[in-house]
Amino acid sequence: LGHGLFETLLFNENSFPAFDYHWQRLAASAPLLGIILPFSRFELETMLNELMKVNTLENQLAGARVTITHGD
């Protein structure tokens, strides 16, 4: 898998309250490691919300981990 980075986000009351903070960390860290993010901010937020929905975690306290590797 090579090198990579990750963020673990809290899901609470149907949202990711610190999403902007985590997105800024991902966007700043990825280029330092030579990683091009494979999604936009909007796409990531959409995917995470869908993840909570399909796992019936709405209205619950949960977490999601986003792991991105260089792939080499």
Side-chain angles (χ1 to χ4, degrees):
L1 294 174
H3 56 282
L5 60 145
F6 71 90
E7 290 288 328
T8 304
L9 295 87
L10 171 71
F11 183 76
N12 191 19
E13 298 182 14
N14 288 321
S15 71
F16 292 93
F19 181 83
D20 289 333
Y21 169 76
H22 290 288
W23 172 255
Q24 290 171 3
R25 283 175 42 117
L26 282 172
S29 299
L32 297 174
L33 296 173
I35 297 172
I36 298 171
L37 293 177
F39 40 70
S40 68
R41 180 198 180 286
F42 176 78
E43 290 169 327
L44 177 59
E45 190 169 26
T46 300
M47 288 186 285
L48 289 170
N49 283 319
E50 183 65 17
L51 177 69
M52 296 297 118
K53 183 178 178 180
V54 299
N55 287 286
T56 60
L57 293 170
E58 299 160 323
N59 299 312
Q60 296 190 40
L61 184 62
R65 179 174 167 154
V66 176
T67 302
I68 305 166
T69 64
H70 193 269
D72 293 339

